[in-house]
């Protein structure tokens, strides 16, 4: 592990402070020192990287990740990939997230029971490159709910995108199985999804089933997340203490009050890009804007924008990311979410950046040492050619990510040879 000194960088520390010219020293896997100004630190014994005015910021967090989604146009076709290819696919995608500046990802459901756990373990063991990762279960659903994909004449469980249960005891068995496999998060599907023919406002899981899932997860100190578009499903999340709420489009005032009262406990990761792209950019796959409108996506997008703006004003934690890995919203383009937070949800670029970094540390359960450029924090850093506060979309351009460091190691090392004329490395 190299000890590195970044000099001549604009430090965007992730706390909301305006960027400042400074120097950052990495020792092992931690940020050892942050100083304002130039020539504040001695470079002896360190690899010195002259950033030539580039921005040094925390690595981003994707709060709603599905490595196992394979850029297909339906849940059924994602699931049909054989398990061997599927493992390799996840490995390939995990590396892509890291390269694109996402040094942390929260798994939001996996397409086969152990994919997420296996990939997380391989990353942690250093066998494959990838972000810090929290592994999810499959989507647990009820018969006839979202992700129950079997056909009446083909009742084979393997065709299911999710794990299908009926009743609390089946739920208990299912949750215990995923906990045995080693997941960090149990994922429940509490509402529908228009493309599957189930309305977003549909709330099919009973309170008894939800309560059993949460109780089993809590017994082992694990968290629960939920696909929750309908108002009632959002309320179920708050009532039962489901920490991570995905989508949350249709929250009414009562749901918002409930959520605000427990905002220290919950995170919302809406996956807003999914609604935008399904509404307007899925024509190539047969979902023209007109068809999307007929399904209900235009109305949901409108509702979600309104609801999420209210949540932002109430100080509820909203994080970027979500549902990339579908045909019309491909893996690797996830930094678009930050731009959409600004364009659709009324965030300032700085607020969007805080959501992707500081709040990322919080959802990764490391609020005190992940997601900021601060002394003692883990060295997950991006060196960005440009100013994300002035132009949030620079983060979408892989070429502008001059360096990506995770845990003190470069995954993308600054390319001095490429003749950018901006970076210089001196092994002092
Ligand atoms: Zn999702």
């Amino acid at each position: 592990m190299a000890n590195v000194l970044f000099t001549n960088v604009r430090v965007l520390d992730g706390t909301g402070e305006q960027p400042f010219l400074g120097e950052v020293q990495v020792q092992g896997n931690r940020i050892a020192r942050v100083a304002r100004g130039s020539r504040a630190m001695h470079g002896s014994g360190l690899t010195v990287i002259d950033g030539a005015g580039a921005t040094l910021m925390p690595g981003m967090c994707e709060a709603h990740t599905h490595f196992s989604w394979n850029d297909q146009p339906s849940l059924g076709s994602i699931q049909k990939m054989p398990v061997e290819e599927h493992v390799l696919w996840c490995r390939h995608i995990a590396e892509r997230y890291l390269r694109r500046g996402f040094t942390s990802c929260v798994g939001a459901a996996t397409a086969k029971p152990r994919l997420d756990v296996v990939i997380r373990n391989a990353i942690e063991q250093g066998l494959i490159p990838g972000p810090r990762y929290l592994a999810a279960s499959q989507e647990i659903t009820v018969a006839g709910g979202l992700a129950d994909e079997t056909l009446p004449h083909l009742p084979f469980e393997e065709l299911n995108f999710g794990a299908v249960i009926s009743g609390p005891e089946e739920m208990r068995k299912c949750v215990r199985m995923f906990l045995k496999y080693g997941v960090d998060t149990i994922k429940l599907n509490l509402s529908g999804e228009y493309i599957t023919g189930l309305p977003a406002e549909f709330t099919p899981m009973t309170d008894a089933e939800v309560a059993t899932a949460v109780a089993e997860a809590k017994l082992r100190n694990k968290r629960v997340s939920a696909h929750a578009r309908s108002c009632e499903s959002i309320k179920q999340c708050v009532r039962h203490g489901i920490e991570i709420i995905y989508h949350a489009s249709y929250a009414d005032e009562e749901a918002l009050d409930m959520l605000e009262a427990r905002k220290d406990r919950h995170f919302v990761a809406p996956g807003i890009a999914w609604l935008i792209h399904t509404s307007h950019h899925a024509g190539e796959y047969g979902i023209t804007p007109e068809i999307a409108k007929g399904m209900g996506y235009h109305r949901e997008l409108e509702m979600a924008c309104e609801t999420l703006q209210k949540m932002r004003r109430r100080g509820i934690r909203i994080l970027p990311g979500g549902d990339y890995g579908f045909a019309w919203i491909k893996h690797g383009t996830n930094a678009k979410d930050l731009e959409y937070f600004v364009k659709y949800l009324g965030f300032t670029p700085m607020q969007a950046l805080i959501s992707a970094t500081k709040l990322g540390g919080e959802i990764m359960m490391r609020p005190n040492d992940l997601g900021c450029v601060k002394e003692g924090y883990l060295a997950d850093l991006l060196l960005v050619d440009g100013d994300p506060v002035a132009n949030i979309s620079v983060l979408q351009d892989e070429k502008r990510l001059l360096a990506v460091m995770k845990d003190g190691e470069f995954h993308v090392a600054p390319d001095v040879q490429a003749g950018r004329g901006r970076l210089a490395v001196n092994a002092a």
Side-chain angles (χ1 to χ4, degrees), residues 64-66 69 108-109 139 187 227 229 246-247 322-324:
H64 179 167
T65 310
H66 303 283
W69 291 17
E139 301 184 351
K187 169 75 177 287
H227 173 97
R229 296 191 181 278
Y246 293 130
H247 311 302
D323 291 342
Y324 289 85

Side-chain angles (χ1 to χ4, degrees), residues 1 14 21 81 117 141 150 174 212 282 321 341-342 350 386:
M1 209 170 283
L21 183 74
M81 184 178 260
V117 165
T141 191
T150 55
C174 183
T212 302
F341 270 38
V342 174
M350 186 61 98

Side-chain angles (χ1 to χ4, degrees), residues 404-418:
V404 177
M405 175 181 269
K406 180 196 138 198
D407 214 31
E409 304 226 33
F410 282 118
H411 181 64
V412 177
D415 185 0
V416 217
Q417 305 305 326

Side-chain angles (χ1 to χ4, degrees), residues 303-381:
M303 282 294 299
C305 289
E306 233 174 79
T307 306
L308 291 161
Q309 297 213 28
K310 288 180 190 165
M311 284 188 195
R312 176 180 54 74
R313 287 194 286 268
R314 286 169 180 253
I316 293 161
R317 294 177 289 185
I318 308 171
L319 282 76
D323 291 342
Y324 289 85
F326 234 68
W328 52 87
I329 161 180
K330 291 201 167 48
H331 282 302
T333 58
N334 311 55
K336 274 184 192 284
D337 252 60
L338 282 83
E339 185 182 341
Y340 293 151
F341 270 38
V342 174
K343 273 193 183 159
Y344 287 82
L345 308 183
F347 281 63
T348 64
M350 186 61 98
Q351 287 170 331
L353 287 160
I354 294 169
S355 286
T357 57
K358 182 172 186 287
L359 297 192
E362 294 176 14
I363 199 171
M364 290 296 291
M365 301 189 289
R366 305 200 71 140
N368 300 315
D369 69 352
L370 185 64
C372 296
V373 183
K374 277 191 188 174
E375 290 174 7
Y377 274 53
L378 290 161
D380 287 11
L381 298 166

Side-chain angles (χ1 to χ4, degrees), residues 233-245:
S233 66
I234 299 159
K235 290 176 183 173
Q236 274 183 326
C237 288
V238 186
R239 278 204 307 274
H240 293 282
I242 293 174
E243 294 90 347
I244 302 174
I245 306 176

